[in-house]
Amino acid sequence: MRALGLRASSGLAVNWRTVEWWGAAIALFLQTGAIFPLMMAAPDGTIDDDAKAKLRFLSLPVYAFACLILSRNFRQFLVALARNLQFNLLLAVPFISVLWSVSPSTTLRRAIGLLFSLLLAYALAIRFTPRQLLLLVLAAIGTCGILSLALLCLSPGLARMPGEDAVRGIFVHKNSLGWYAGILVMVATAAVIDRVLGMRRIAFVSLIVGLICLVGSGSMTATIAAVAAGVLFWFYSTLPKSHGISRTVFVLVFVEIIVLLLFALEEFLVPVLEALGKDATLTGRVPLWRLVDQEIARHLLLGFGYQAFWTEANPEAWAIWSQIHWMAPHAHNGFRDTLLSFGIVGTSLFAFVLIRALYQGARLQCRAPQDGWLWLNVLMVMVMVMNLTESIFLIQNDAIFILFCTAIIMFSLHTPAYFGAGHRPGCQHQAVAEP
């Protein structure tokens, strides 16, 4: 454990590891979008442009912290960069897309925000092991859940959506609470089943808090993702127990079942929702997707530029808004929004990064399940499931996407240590400075 080699005038030494833990937890909390947007929102939950401009300043301490940590661990940072060349190329695509963007200034500004916010992902991947990161996420997002329940008790009107019974907690929208509640349920479950941590009581409490927030939010996306996480825990826990051809068959059968379920969902979802008296359009998503798919087909190769489509300067966006009669902020589907931003070219690179990370994560889980890789594998697929009905991919200043990228970076960073020469099973390998 490294300590700062300077002492304050009071004679107290400042421990850098403590700074890293507290700084990372606060940075993640700030990137969740909790409390501060709610404080600056109008009574109907909307945030005007002036408030949004002020809220951007909250990201500056996060950027400063990430840069500080990376500067102190520059050699490890270079190693991480070298082992994530495809991911780094993906981060360059938003800047390149300025050349054909329908709103170049918006694309450039948001690309810069994405780059700086993902420096935090590099800092987390370098300075924390998978199990340490689990504790960090449990603390940061668990705090969001506890504060949301506290606000619900102290000010029920503020903690609920305007004119609705759904709970939003310390967030502007109920969906945000649902997303983070789903993540909290997942990480709390991981902490419960992790025998090394020895924090089952705290994990059980966090799990209960997450479930209450999840149910209160009424978010179907988060609920489906949480259920998927349960299945994924079983899959990734079973994976190391199989070997050779049996492991290959197990994976192929599991993937085939998932594909069949997706086809069945597409075929029977609308009739089932209508039979249950639910909104068969998925709250307007289905007609929105049809119109978005038409725009994707018209700009299939390169797209409209990074996050440039859903801007008031884009006439195609206005055409969609006029037909659906509401100003959708995004496509409510991360895969479609990626196609809108980058077309087939950029999306193919993104798909390659995802597939590579999924493969590396599964290999790490099979080689060293005792080292805490389980929850990071579940997180990656869980976020992909969430992006079927929400847009979280390639979003700047977003804690969920930052954690998603942290998993990608950690898989690439640690894979050579586990699969290089001289690996000893059961030994935790790190390409980082000793914590």
Side-chain angles (χ1 to χ4, degrees):
M1 183 179 294
R2 297 189 303 169
L4 181 64
L6 298 175
R7 291 179 177 269
S9 58
S10 61
L12 296 176
V14 180
N15 190 293
W16 265 107
R17 191 54 178 166
T18 302
V19 171
E20 289 176 346
W21 275 93
W22 277 97
I26 294 172
L28 278 178
F29 182 84
L30 289 175
Q31 297 293 59
T32 61
I35 297 182
F36 298 102
L38 180 62
M39 293 171 59
M40 304 187 71
D44 61 354
T46 60
I47 303 177
D48 58 32
D49 291 338
D50 183 58
K52 290 179 180 178
K54 293 178 181 177
L55 288 171
R56 293 190 190 105
F57 286 104
L58 290 174
S59 297
L60 296 181
V62 178
Y63 300 163
F65 169 76
C67 291
L68 175 63
I69 298 304
L70 293 177
S71 66
R72 288 184 54 82
N73 300 273
F74 192 67
R75 188 180 62 156
Q76 291 81 6
F77 181 36
L78 292 179
V79 172
L81 289 174
R83 294 180 182 177
N84 286 275
L85 294 179
Q86 296 85 355
F87 179 74
N88 299 331
L89 180 59
L90 178 64
L91 295 184
V93 173
F95 290 93
I96 300 173
S97 70
V98 173
L99 299 175
W100 64 82
S101 173
V102 297
S103 181
S105 60
T106 299
T107 292
L108 180 60
R109 174 172 56 82
R110 294 179 177 177
I112 293 172
L114 177 67
L115 176 63
F116 275 94
S117 61
L118 292 189
L119 290 179
L120 178 61
Y122 269 103
L124 294 176
I126 290 171
R127 295 304 300 151
F128 295 90
T129 66
R131 191 168 278 113
Q132 290 170 347
L133 186 62
L134 174 63
L135 292 177
L136 188 68
V137 174
L138 186 64
I141 300 182
T143 300
C144 294
I146 293 172
L147 291 178
S148 293
L149 294 184
L151 183 62
L152 181 62
C153 295
L154 297 174
S155 180
L158 181 60
R160 296 183 185 275
M161 290 291 294
E164 300 181 26
D165 291 330
V167 179
R168 64 180 178 180
I170 58 175
F171 298 91
V172 172
H173 199 276
K174 62 181 181 180
N175 286 343
S176 296
L177 175 64
W179 300 341
Y180 286 104
I183 298 293
L184 179 58
V185 169
M186 187 273 291
V187 295
T189 301
V192 168
I193 64 180
D194 193 320
R195 298 179 180 179
V196 177
L197 285 177
M199 299 182 62
R200 288 194 172 184
R201 291 184 180 179
I202 295 176
F204 269 120
V205 173
S206 300
L207 179 60
I208 294 171
V209 170
L211 288 172
I212 294 174
C213 291
L214 181 61
V215 173
S217 71
S219 172
M220 286 302 300
T221 296
T223 301
I224 293 172
V227 173
V231 177
L232 291 166
F233 272 119
W234 169 79
F235 171 74
Y236 281 108
S237 297
T238 306
L239 196 60
K241 300 176 184 178
S242 57
H243 302 277
I245 190 65
S246 62
R247 177 180 292 171
T248 303
V249 172
F250 175 68
V251 172
L252 290 176
V253 170
F254 183 81
V255 172
E256 184 177 353
I257 291 174
I258 296 300
V259 171
L260 290 175
L261 285 175
L262 289 175
F263 277 114
L265 190 64
E266 182 179 5
E267 183 70 22
F268 299 109
L269 179 60
V270 172
V272 170
L273 289 175
E274 291 176 342
L276 294 175
K278 301 292 185 180
D279 184 1
T281 68
L282 299 178
T283 323
R285 287 175 172 84
V286 174
L288 172 63
W289 290 340
R290 292 180 184 140
L291 296 172
V292 167
D293 289 343
Q294 295 174 10
E295 296 301 328
I296 291 173
R298 292 191 185 103
H299 295 77
L300 189 59
L301 187 62
L302 297 176
F304 292 83
Y306 175 61
Q307 292 194 10
F309 184 86
W310 302 104
T311 58
E312 296 183 3
N314 184 21
E316 283 83 358
W318 280 106
I320 291 179
W321 291 334
S322 63
Q323 293 184 62
I324 63 176
H325 306 296
W326 60 289
M327 293 185 69
H330 45 69
H332 283 278
N333 182 286
F335 301 95
R336 285 180 167 91
D337 269 320
T338 304
L339 283 166
L340 283 174
S341 291
F342 307 130
I344 288 293
V345 174
T347 303
S348 298
L349 176 60
F350 184 51
F352 177 81
V353 171
L354 293 185
I355 294 171
R356 179 173 180 261
L358 290 173
Y359 175 68
Q360 289 179 329
R363 290 186 73 198
L364 289 168
Q365 170 63 12
C366 291
R367 174 61 66 92
Q370 73 283 348
D371 287 346
W373 296 105
L374 174 62
W375 81 276
L376 285 172
N377 280 279
V378 174
L379 173 71
M380 273 211 65
V381 183
M382 183 181 182
V383 174
M384 293 173 67
V385 171
M386 294 171 70
N387 273 276
L388 293 174
T389 54
E390 296 294 347
S391 290
I392 304 174
F393 285 150
L394 297 163
I395 299 297
Q396 69 276 16
N397 304 319
D398 181 86
I400 294 178
F401 187 65
I402 288 172
L403 291 173
F404 182 79
C405 291
T406 302
I408 293 175
I409 296 167
M410 290 185 78
F411 292 156
S412 297
L413 182 61
H414 290 264
T415 293
Y418 280 93
F419 294 93
H423 169 73
R424 293 178 298 166
C427 178
Q428 176 78 21
H429 286 264
Q430 299 184 55
V432 299
E434 183 182 352

